[in-house]
Amino acid sequence: MDSAETPTDLIDRLARAGRAAQRVLAGLDHDAKAAALRAAGAALRADQSAVLAANAEDMAAGAAHGLTPAMLDRLKLDPARLASIADAVENIADLADPVGQVIDTATRPNGLVLSRVRVPIGLIGIVYESRPNVTADAAALCVASGNAVLLRGGSEAVRSNRAIHAALVRGLASAGVPAEAVQLVPTQDRAAVGAMLTAAGLIDMIVPRGGKSLVARVQ
């Protein structure tokens, strides 16, 4: 984030880039998206040392700021937990493609057949708190469904989220998914969340994942 860039300008810039990337992502078939997700999972495994080092910094900062043992446990990553995160990304690649699925059909009296078909939503904003696995889970689910995503995680996991995001994007980009399809808001300024919530016409849906106060603010 440029020092002269306001949170509103930042979200506007990221959202426009995400929307452009989503148009490319929406044109990829299931096999291409699945290959990209497997590449992202492999990149997470390859970046284990960097991700765990970043998480150790978050853990130290959290302990210094008085996070509860339960919060620290939600924040903590180790090789087994990181492997599970990578497994989850790769497992999403094996799911059926929701894009193009016919939900239902109806035949009108004049013989016209109407169908409801699943299509991508567009750009999804996800606001979440301390669990760094959400960065990978949310990104993978959005990519699999042809949606770009703008992620804004909690300050407790900021270093972990950045490391996970960097690995994911490198893997996705290596398989042809635009890097801007998965973006992480680069500031913890709470005004950025407000800018996301008011970015009508740029962000198509906001999903909160966290406590009651976060959900209430998004609502």
Side-chain angles (χ1 to χ4, degrees), residues 28-111:
L28 300 180
D29 63 19
H30 178 258
D31 288 345
K33 290 184 293 185
L37 290 171
R38 293 188 184 101
L44 280 172
R45 298 181 196 281
D47 280 12
Q48 173 178 292
S49 295
V51 173
L52 295 184
N55 181 252
E57 293 182 17
D58 283 335
M59 289 290 292
H65 286 87
L67 289 186
T68 66
M71 286 284 288
L72 288 171
D73 183 64
R74 286 197 289 271
L75 176 61
K76 182 178 174 59
L77 294 177
D78 56 28
R81 287 185 175 185
L82 185 58
S84 293
I85 292 172
D87 286 345
V89 172
E90 293 163 349
N91 289 340
I92 290 170
D94 295 330
L95 297 176
D97 191 350
V99 178
Q101 286 185 356
V102 177
I103 301 171
D104 60 39
T105 60
T107 302
R108 306 301 296 167
N110 64 359

Side-chain angles (χ1 to χ4, degrees), residues 13-213:
R13 174 171 59 82
L14 296 178
R16 292 183 187 280
R19 295 185 75 81
Q22 191 274 331
R23 289 192 286 272
V24 177
L25 178 60
L28 300 180
D29 63 19
H30 178 258
D31 288 345
K33 290 184 293 185
L37 290 171
R38 293 188 184 101
L44 280 172
R45 298 181 196 281
D47 280 12
Q48 173 178 292
S49 295
V51 173
L52 295 184
N55 181 252
E57 293 182 17
D58 283 335
M59 289 290 292
H65 286 87
L67 289 186
T68 66
M71 286 284 288
L72 288 171
D73 183 64
R74 286 197 289 271
L75 176 61
K76 182 178 174 59
L77 294 177
D78 56 28
R81 287 185 175 185
L82 185 58
S84 293
I85 292 172
D87 286 345
V89 172
E90 293 163 349
N91 289 340
I92 290 170
D94 295 330
L95 297 176
D97 191 350
V99 178
Q101 286 185 356
V102 177
I103 301 171
D104 60 39
T105 60
T107 302
R108 306 301 296 167
N110 64 359
L112 180 66
V113 177
L114 303 178
S115 298
R116 289 200 298 160
V117 181
R118 287 195 169 101
V119 298
I121 294 168
L123 175 62
I124 298 176
I126 300 183
V127 183
Y128 54 103
E129 294 180 340
S130 60
R131 293 182 185 270
N133 64 290
V134 177
T135 300
D137 292 346
L141 287 168
C142 285
V143 169
S145 56
N147 295 294
V149 63
L150 183 55
L151 301 162
R152 203 286 190 174
S155 58
E156 302 89 351
V158 61
R159 301 168 187 84
S160 305
N161 289 337
R162 287 172 180 167
I164 290 170
H165 173 257
L168 288 171
V169 168
R170 192 182 75 255
L172 292 170
S174 73
V177 172
E180 294 79 9
V182 176
Q183 297 179 95
L184 182 70
V185 176
T187 177
Q188 294 307 118
D189 189 337
R190 288 175 61 85
V193 176
M196 290 175 68
L197 298 179
T198 56
L202 290 174
I203 299 176
D204 298 293
M205 176 184 289
I206 296 284
V207 179
R209 190 185 189 283
K212 290 183 178 179
S213 61

